[in-house]
Amino acid sequence: MGRLLPKAELHVHIEGTLEPELVVGLARRNGVTLPADGVDGLRARYRFEGLQSFLDVLNANMAVLRTERDFYDMTLGYLRRARDNGVRRAEIFFDLQAHLARGVPMDAVFDGLAAAVADGERELGVSAALLLCIVRDRGPEEAERVLREAIRRHRDRFIGIGLASAELGHPPSLFREVYAIAAAEGLRRTVHAGEEGPPGYVREALDLLGAERIDHGIRAMEDPDLVARLRAERVPLTVCPLSNVRLGIVPSLREHPLPAMLRANLMVTVNSDNPAYVGGYAEDNYRALRDELGLDPTTLATIAANSFDAAFLDPETRARFQAELRTGAANG
Ligand SMILES: [Zn+2]
Protein backbone atom coordinates (compact mmCIF):
# COMPACT_ATOMS: atom_id res chain seq x y z
CA MET A 1 0.00 0.00 0.00
CA GLY A 2 1.30 3.46 -0.96
CA ARG A 3 1.65 6.25 1.51
CA LEU A 4 -1.30 8.50 2.35
CA LEU A 5 -2.11 11.29 -0.06
CA PRO A 6 -1.08 14.65 1.37
CA LYS A 7 -4.23 16.74 1.63
CA ALA A 8 -5.85 19.81 3.16
CA GLU A 9 -8.89 19.48 5.38
CA LEU A 10 -11.04 22.57 4.86
CA HIS A 11 -14.28 21.58 6.56
CA VAL A 12 -13.94 20.29 10.10
CA HIS A 13 -15.69 21.52 13.25
CA ILE A 14 -13.39 21.23 16.24
CA GLU A 15 -16.32 20.41 18.55
CA GLY A 16 -17.12 17.53 16.20
CA THR A 17 -13.69 16.00 16.86
CA LEU A 18 -14.50 15.31 20.54
CA GLU A 19 -14.14 11.53 20.72
CA PRO A 20 -16.35 9.86 23.38
CA GLU A 21 -13.26 8.93 25.44
CA LEU A 22 -12.32 12.61 25.67
CA VAL A 23 -15.92 13.63 26.44
CA VAL A 24 -15.89 11.23 29.40
CA GLY A 25 -12.43 12.38 30.52
CA LEU A 26 -13.32 16.07 30.38
CA ALA A 27 -16.67 15.46 32.13
CA ARG A 28 -14.76 13.85 35.00
CA ARG A 29 -12.14 16.61 35.06
CA ASN A 30 -14.79 19.37 35.14
CA GLY A 31 -17.50 17.67 37.20
CA VAL A 32 -20.02 17.81 34.35
CA THR A 33 -22.90 15.30 34.30
CA LEU A 34 -23.39 13.66 30.90
CA PRO A 35 -26.71 12.61 29.33
CA ALA A 36 -25.43 9.01 29.05
CA ASP A 37 -23.10 6.75 31.01
CA GLY A 38 -19.59 6.14 29.73
CA VAL A 39 -18.14 5.79 26.24
CA ASP A 40 -20.59 3.08 25.13
CA GLY A 41 -23.58 5.03 26.43
CA LEU A 42 -22.48 8.09 24.47
CA ARG A 43 -21.85 6.11 21.29
CA ALA A 44 -25.30 4.52 21.53
CA ARG A 45 -26.77 8.00 21.07
CA TYR A 46 -24.94 8.52 17.73
CA ARG A 47 -27.91 7.58 15.53
CA PHE A 48 -29.01 10.60 13.59
CA GLU A 49 -32.06 11.42 11.52
CA GLY A 50 -31.06 14.65 9.83
CA LEU A 51 -28.95 17.60 10.86
CA GLN A 52 -30.97 18.69 13.90
CA SER A 53 -30.83 15.35 15.71
CA PHE A 54 -27.06 15.39 15.28
CA LEU A 55 -26.78 18.99 16.52
CA ASP A 56 -28.70 18.04 19.69
CA VAL A 57 -26.15 15.35 20.59
CA LEU A 58 -23.19 17.54 19.58
CA ASN A 59 -24.40 20.39 21.77
CA ALA A 60 -25.06 18.14 24.77
CA ASN A 61 -21.50 16.74 24.66
CA MET A 62 -20.01 20.21 24.19
CA ALA A 63 -20.98 21.01 27.78
CA VAL A 64 -17.75 19.31 28.95
CA LEU A 65 -15.63 22.09 27.39
CA ARG A 66 -14.97 24.61 30.16
CA THR A 67 -11.34 25.73 30.32
CA GLU A 68 -8.49 26.81 28.08
CA ARG A 69 -6.87 23.42 28.69
CA ASP A 70 -9.99 21.59 27.42
CA PHE A 71 -9.87 23.50 24.13
CA TYR A 72 -6.14 22.86 23.87
CA ASP A 73 -6.43 19.10 24.48
CA MET A 74 -9.32 18.72 22.03
CA THR A 75 -7.53 20.63 19.27
CA LEU A 76 -4.12 19.01 19.65
CA GLY A 77 -5.86 15.61 19.73
CA TYR A 78 -7.55 16.42 16.43
CA LEU A 79 -4.31 17.64 14.85
CA ARG A 80 -2.57 14.36 15.79
CA ARG A 81 -5.31 12.34 14.09
CA ALA A 82 -5.28 14.73 11.14
CA ARG A 83 -1.55 14.19 10.69
CA ASP A 84 -2.10 10.42 10.81
CA ASN A 85 -4.68 10.93 8.01
CA GLY A 86 -2.17 12.68 5.74
CA VAL A 87 -3.54 16.16 6.47
CA ARG A 88 -0.85 18.78 5.84
CA ARG A 89 -3.15 21.78 6.27
CA ALA A 90 -6.26 22.07 8.47
CA GLU A 91 -8.67 25.01 8.46
CA ILE A 92 -10.75 24.50 11.58
CA PHE A 93 -14.20 25.88 12.46
CA PHE A 94 -15.01 26.67 16.08
CA ASP A 95 -18.45 27.54 17.54
CA LEU A 96 -17.47 30.54 19.65
CA GLN A 97 -21.09 31.58 20.36
CA ALA A 98 -22.00 28.16 21.75
CA HIS A 99 -19.15 28.35 24.27
CA LEU A 100 -19.88 31.93 25.30
CA ALA A 101 -23.54 30.95 25.83
CA ARG A 102 -22.38 28.33 28.37
CA GLY A 103 -20.40 30.96 30.24
CA VAL A 104 -16.92 30.08 28.95
CA PRO A 105 -14.81 33.26 28.67
CA MET A 106 -13.86 34.25 25.12
CA ASP A 107 -10.17 34.36 26.07
CA ALA A 108 -10.24 30.73 27.27
CA VAL A 109 -11.56 29.57 23.90
CA PHE A 110 -9.07 31.56 21.84
CA ASP A 111 -6.08 30.89 24.13
CA GLY A 112 -6.64 27.12 24.09
CA LEU A 113 -7.28 26.86 20.36
CA ALA A 114 -4.43 29.16 19.36
CA ALA A 115 -1.89 27.40 21.60
CA ALA A 116 -2.80 24.02 20.08
CA VAL A 117 -2.57 25.40 16.54
CA ALA A 118 0.93 26.74 17.30
CA ASP A 119 2.07 23.48 18.93
CA GLY A 120 0.50 21.43 16.13
CA GLU A 121 2.56 23.30 13.61
CA ARG A 122 5.78 23.02 15.60
CA GLU A 123 5.48 19.47 16.96
CA LEU A 124 3.40 17.74 14.29
CA GLY A 125 4.23 19.72 11.15
CA VAL A 126 0.54 20.33 10.40
CA SER A 127 -0.22 23.82 9.15
CA ALA A 128 -3.45 24.96 10.81
CA ALA A 129 -5.68 28.02 11.02
CA LEU A 130 -8.98 28.92 12.68
CA LEU A 131 -12.32 29.96 11.18
CA LEU A 132 -14.86 31.51 13.56
CA CYS A 133 -18.08 29.70 12.75
CA ILE A 134 -21.30 31.68 13.12
CA VAL A 135 -24.12 29.63 14.72
CA ARG A 136 -26.86 30.61 12.28
CA ASP A 137 -29.87 29.61 14.42
CA ARG A 138 -28.75 32.10 17.10
CA GLY A 139 -29.57 34.90 14.66
CA PRO A 140 -27.63 37.75 13.02
CA GLU A 141 -27.61 40.26 15.92
CA GLU A 142 -25.64 38.05 18.31
CA ALA A 143 -23.36 36.96 15.47
CA GLU A 144 -22.53 40.56 14.67
CA ARG A 145 -21.83 41.45 18.29
CA VAL A 146 -19.63 38.42 18.92
CA LEU A 147 -17.71 38.87 15.66
CA ARG A 148 -16.98 42.52 16.48
CA GLU A 149 -15.70 41.58 19.94
CA ALA A 150 -13.57 38.73 18.55
CA ILE A 151 -12.07 41.14 16.02
CA ARG A 152 -11.33 43.69 18.72
CA ARG A 153 -9.65 41.22 21.08
CA HIS A 154 -8.31 38.34 18.99
CA ARG A 155 -8.09 39.46 15.36
CA ASP A 156 -4.68 37.85 14.74
CA ARG A 157 -5.88 34.42 15.89
CA PHE A 158 -8.43 33.60 13.20
CA ILE A 159 -8.23 33.94 9.44
CA GLY A 160 -11.88 33.89 8.50
CA ILE A 161 -15.47 33.07 9.28
CA GLY A 162 -18.00 30.37 8.42
CA LEU A 163 -21.74 29.96 8.87
CA ALA A 164 -23.09 26.64 10.14
CA SER A 165 -25.58 24.81 12.38
CA ALA A 166 -29.31 24.44 11.52
CA GLU A 167 -29.57 25.48 7.86
CA LEU A 168 -33.28 25.33 7.03
CA GLY A 169 -35.13 28.52 7.92
CA HIS A 170 -31.85 30.38 8.48
CA PRO A 171 -30.89 31.56 4.96
CA PRO A 172 -27.57 33.25 4.22
CA SER A 173 -29.37 36.51 3.38
CA LEU A 174 -29.91 37.15 7.12
CA PHE A 175 -26.14 37.47 7.63
CA ARG A 176 -25.21 40.15 5.07
CA GLU A 177 -24.04 42.64 7.69
CA VAL A 178 -21.97 39.99 9.52
CA TYR A 179 -20.18 39.08 6.29
CA ALA A 180 -19.71 42.74 5.37
CA ILE A 181 -17.90 43.27 8.70
CA ALA A 182 -15.71 40.23 8.00
CA ALA A 183 -14.91 41.40 4.45
CA ALA A 184 -13.95 44.87 5.69
CA GLU A 185 -11.50 43.19 8.11
CA GLY A 186 -9.88 41.12 5.37
CA LEU A 187 -11.27 37.90 6.84
CA ARG A 188 -11.81 34.93 4.51
CA ARG A 189 -15.43 33.81 4.08
CA THR A 190 -17.03 30.38 3.76
CA VAL A 191 -20.72 29.48 4.10
CA HIS A 192 -22.50 26.17 4.76
CA ALA A 193 -25.18 26.01 2.06
CA GLY A 194 -26.96 23.30 0.11
CA GLU A 195 -26.54 20.56 2.71
CA GLU A 196 -30.20 20.42 3.79
CA GLY A 197 -31.09 23.81 2.32
CA PRO A 198 -32.08 24.47 -1.31
CA PRO A 199 -29.83 25.59 -4.19
CA GLY A 200 -31.10 29.15 -3.66
CA TYR A 201 -29.12 29.27 -0.39
CA VAL A 202 -25.93 28.59 -2.39
CA ARG A 203 -26.73 31.51 -4.70
CA GLU A 204 -27.36 33.77 -1.68
CA ALA A 205 -24.04 32.73 -0.14
CA LEU A 206 -22.21 33.72 -3.32
CA ASP A 207 -24.18 36.84 -4.23
CA LEU A 208 -24.99 38.34 -0.83
CA LEU A 209 -22.21 37.09 1.46
CA GLY A 210 -19.28 36.96 -0.96
CA ALA A 211 -18.55 33.33 -0.02
CA GLU A 212 -15.14 32.19 -1.27
CA ARG A 213 -15.98 28.54 -0.59
CA ILE A 214 -19.27 26.70 -0.18
CA ASP A 215 -19.35 24.12 2.61
CA HIS A 216 -21.27 21.04 1.38
CA GLY A 217 -23.13 22.49 -1.63
CA ILE A 218 -24.39 19.06 -2.69
CA ARG A 219 -27.94 20.27 -3.37
CA ALA A 220 -26.54 22.68 -5.97
CA MET A 221 -26.71 19.62 -8.27
CA GLU A 222 -30.49 20.12 -8.45
CA ASP A 223 -29.98 23.38 -10.37
CA PRO A 224 -28.14 23.09 -13.73
CA ASP A 225 -27.61 26.85 -14.09
CA LEU A 226 -26.02 26.97 -10.66
CA VAL A 227 -23.79 24.00 -11.54
CA ALA A 228 -22.63 25.84 -14.67
CA ARG A 229 -21.82 28.90 -12.59
CA LEU A 230 -19.92 26.96 -9.89
CA ARG A 231 -17.86 25.32 -12.66
CA ALA A 232 -17.19 28.59 -14.54
CA GLU A 233 -16.16 30.43 -11.36
CA ARG A 234 -14.26 27.44 -9.95
CA VAL A 235 -16.02 27.80 -6.59
CA PRO A 236 -14.55 25.25 -4.16
CA LEU A 237 -17.09 22.92 -2.54
CA THR A 238 -16.07 21.26 0.73
CA VAL A 239 -17.98 18.00 0.45
CA CYS A 240 -18.26 15.61 3.42
CA PRO A 241 -19.43 12.20 2.12
CA LEU A 242 -19.37 10.11 5.32
CA SER A 243 -21.06 12.92 7.25
CA ASN A 244 -23.84 13.19 4.65
CA VAL A 245 -24.54 9.46 4.91
CA ARG A 246 -24.41 9.29 8.71
CA LEU A 247 -26.74 12.27 9.14
CA GLY A 248 -29.19 10.87 6.60
CA ILE A 249 -28.69 13.76 4.15
CA VAL A 250 -28.13 11.10 1.45
CA PRO A 251 -29.44 7.52 1.83
CA SER A 252 -26.10 5.80 1.13
CA LEU A 253 -22.61 6.46 -0.20
CA ARG A 254 -23.60 4.81 -3.50
CA GLU A 255 -26.30 7.45 -3.93
CA HIS A 256 -24.00 10.37 -3.04
CA PRO A 257 -23.82 13.11 -5.71
CA LEU A 258 -20.00 13.39 -5.45
CA PRO A 259 -19.24 11.33 -8.59
CA ALA A 260 -21.73 13.44 -10.56
CA MET A 261 -20.11 16.59 -9.16
CA LEU A 262 -16.73 15.38 -10.40
CA ARG A 263 -18.19 14.55 -13.83
CA ALA A 264 -19.59 18.11 -13.93
CA ASN A 265 -16.02 19.38 -13.38
CA LEU A 266 -16.85 21.09 -10.12
CA MET A 267 -13.99 21.96 -7.78
CA VAL A 268 -14.70 19.26 -5.21
CA THR A 269 -12.76 18.73 -2.00
CA VAL A 270 -13.36 15.91 0.52
CA ASN A 271 -13.53 16.54 4.26
CA SER A 272 -14.62 14.98 7.54
CA ASP A 273 -17.01 17.64 8.97
CA ASN A 274 -17.57 16.14 12.48
CA PRO A 275 -15.28 13.10 12.40
CA ALA A 276 -15.89 11.81 15.94
CA TYR A 277 -19.62 11.53 15.22
CA VAL A 278 -19.91 10.54 11.56
CA GLY A 279 -17.63 7.56 11.19
CA GLY A 280 -14.31 8.90 10.05
CA TYR A 281 -11.52 11.38 9.54
CA ALA A 282 -10.16 12.76 6.26
CA GLU A 283 -8.43 9.62 5.00
CA ASP A 284 -11.43 7.48 6.01
CA ASN A 285 -13.47 9.56 3.55
CA TYR A 286 -10.91 9.16 0.75
CA ARG A 287 -10.72 5.41 1.45
CA ALA A 288 -14.51 5.04 1.36
CA LEU A 289 -14.62 6.79 -2.01
CA ARG A 290 -11.97 4.41 -3.33
CA ASP A 291 -13.39 1.20 -1.85
CA GLU A 292 -17.13 1.83 -2.15
CA LEU A 293 -17.42 4.16 -5.16
CA GLY A 294 -14.36 2.91 -7.05
CA LEU A 295 -12.68 6.30 -7.44
CA ASP A 296 -9.27 5.77 -9.08
CA PRO A 297 -5.92 7.14 -7.79
CA THR A 298 -5.84 9.93 -10.38
CA THR A 299 -9.26 11.21 -9.31
CA LEU A 300 -8.33 11.04 -5.62
CA ALA A 301 -5.10 12.95 -6.35
CA THR A 302 -7.15 15.60 -8.20
CA ILE A 303 -9.39 15.98 -5.14
CA ALA A 304 -6.30 16.38 -2.93
CA ALA A 305 -4.84 18.95 -5.35
CA ASN A 306 -8.16 20.84 -5.24
CA SER A 307 -7.93 20.91 -1.45
CA PHE A 308 -4.58 22.75 -1.58
CA ASP A 309 -5.86 25.10 -4.32
CA ALA A 310 -8.95 25.93 -2.23
CA ALA A 311 -7.03 26.41 1.03
CA PHE A 312 -6.40 29.90 2.38
CA LEU A 313 -2.63 29.55 2.00
CA ASP A 314 0.16 31.83 0.90
CA PRO A 315 1.51 30.96 -2.59
CA GLU A 316 4.83 29.46 -1.41
CA THR A 317 3.25 27.09 1.10
CA ARG A 318 0.62 26.07 -1.44
CA ALA A 319 3.33 25.31 -4.02
CA ARG A 320 5.27 23.26 -1.46
CA PHE A 321 2.22 21.12 -0.61
CA GLN A 322 1.32 20.67 -4.29
CA ALA A 323 4.89 19.53 -5.00
CA GLU A 324 4.67 17.05 -2.12
CA LEU A 325 1.43 15.72 -3.55
CA ARG A 326 2.94 15.24 -7.04
CA THR A 327 5.92 13.35 -5.62
CA GLY A 328 3.64 11.23 -3.41
CA ALA A 329 1.27 10.48 -6.29
CA ALA A 330 4.20 9.43 -8.49
CA ASN A 331 5.41 7.01 -5.81
CA GLY A 332 1.99 5.71 -4.83
ZN1 LIG B 1 -20.04 21.45 8.60
Side-chain angles (χ1 to χ4, degrees):
M1 189 184 141
R3 70 188 182 100
L4 297 175
L5 277 180
K7 59 182 78 66
E9 170 138 271
L10 306 178
H11 183 164
V12 59
H13 302 269
I14 198 62
E15 297 83 3
T17 72
L18 260 184
E19 291 288 345
E21 291 77 7
L22 188 55
V23 174
V24 169
L26 294 181
R28 199 170 298 139
R29 184 153 100 189
N30 294 326
V32 174
T33 306
L34 289 170
D37 259 357
V39 169
D40 293 340
L42 288 176
R43 274 198 211 283
R45 289 163 48 84
Y46 293 5
R47 291 196 198 91
F48 312 116
E49 293 151 17
L51 186 54
Q52 190 57 54
S53 74
F54 158 71
L55 291 171
D56 293 342
V57 173
L58 178 83
N59 287 321
N61 286 353
M62 239 191 252
V64 301
L65 295 165
R66 308 301 313 180
T67 68
E68 174 185 336
R69 187 174 154 212
D70 302 337
F71 286 90
Y72 178 88
D73 290 348
M74 169 174 66
T75 306
L76 200 63
Y78 161 69
L79 288 171
R80 278 202 195 92
R81 290 187 294 276
R83 176 201 58 191
D84 296 345
N85 274 254
V87 172
R88 304 288 291 111
R89 165 76 173 179
E91 298 183 359
I92 304 169
F93 292 121
F94 62 107
D95 279 353
L96 180 60
Q97 289 163 271
H99 307 306
L100 298 179
R102 289 199 321 280
V104 180
M106 185 181 283
D107 292 353
V109 179
F110 273 104
D111 290 351
L113 293 174
V117 162
D119 286 355
E121 185 125 28
R122 198 175 51 239
E123 292 168 20
L124 307 171
V126 178
S127 163
L130 299 168
L131 301 170
L132 191 163
C133 200
I134 303 298
V135 181
R136 65 205 305 163
D137 39 314
R138 298 183 67 88
E141 290 79 18
E142 182 187 280
E144 202 180 312
R145 180 164 45 76
V146 169
L147 177 60
R148 284 191 196 280
E149 193 181 346
I151 288 170
R152 194 170 67 245
R153 292 165 60 184
H154 297 282
R155 172 63 188 88
D156 58 336
R157 288 170 145 180
F158 62 111
I159 63 163
I161 69 167
L163 179 69
S165 202
E167 185 181 3
L168 287 169
H170 306 281
S173 55
L174 297 174
F175 296 88
R176 292 165 98 140
E177 185 53 32
V178 179
Y179 274 71
I181 293 167
E185 271 298 319
L187 288 162
R188 312 305 297 259
R189 285 148 289 144
T190 85
V191 175
H192 280 55
E195 180 188 17
E196 281 192 332
Y201 282 20
V202 177
R203 290 181 187 280
E204 285 187 13
L206 297 171
D207 292 335
L208 305 181
L209 304 190
E212 299 172 81
R213 294 198 299 244
I214 297 294
D215 297 310
H216 294 295
I218 56 176
R219 286 197 61 196
M221 293 304 284
E222 297 167 19
D223 181 338
D225 290 343
L226 179 57
V227 171
R229 176 181 176 185
L230 293 170
R231 176 173 51 238
E233 296 178 10
R234 261 179 84 70
V235 177
L237 305 169
T238 66
V239 180
C240 306
L242 290 179
S243 170
N244 293 154
V245 173
R246 186 60 77 93
L247 268 52
I249 308 288
V250 301
S252 72
L253 200 56
R254 292 197 171 281
E255 292 159 88
H256 197 283
L258 185 134
M261 297 170 89
L262 291 167
R263 282 195 299 276
N265 283 314
L266 297 184
M267 191 173 177
V268 170
T269 69
V270 166
N271 308 271
S272 69
D273 204 4
N274 294 286
Y277 292 89
V278 302
Y281 286 80
E283 181 63 20
D284 301 314
N285 277 272
Y286 278 68
R287 194 182 308 119
L289 297 177
R290 184 192 69 195
D291 294 347
E292 294 183 46
L293 295 184
L295 263 56
D296 61 36
T298 307
T299 305
L300 293 171
T302 299
I303 292 171
N306 286 348
S307 75
F308 290 128
D309 279 345
F312 298 138
L313 283 168
D314 64 83
E316 298 84 56
T317 311
R318 190 192 316 282
R320 179 158 58 83
F321 289 151
Q322 294 287 22
E324 232 179 84
L325 175 62
R326 280 193 299 276
T327 318
N331 291 343

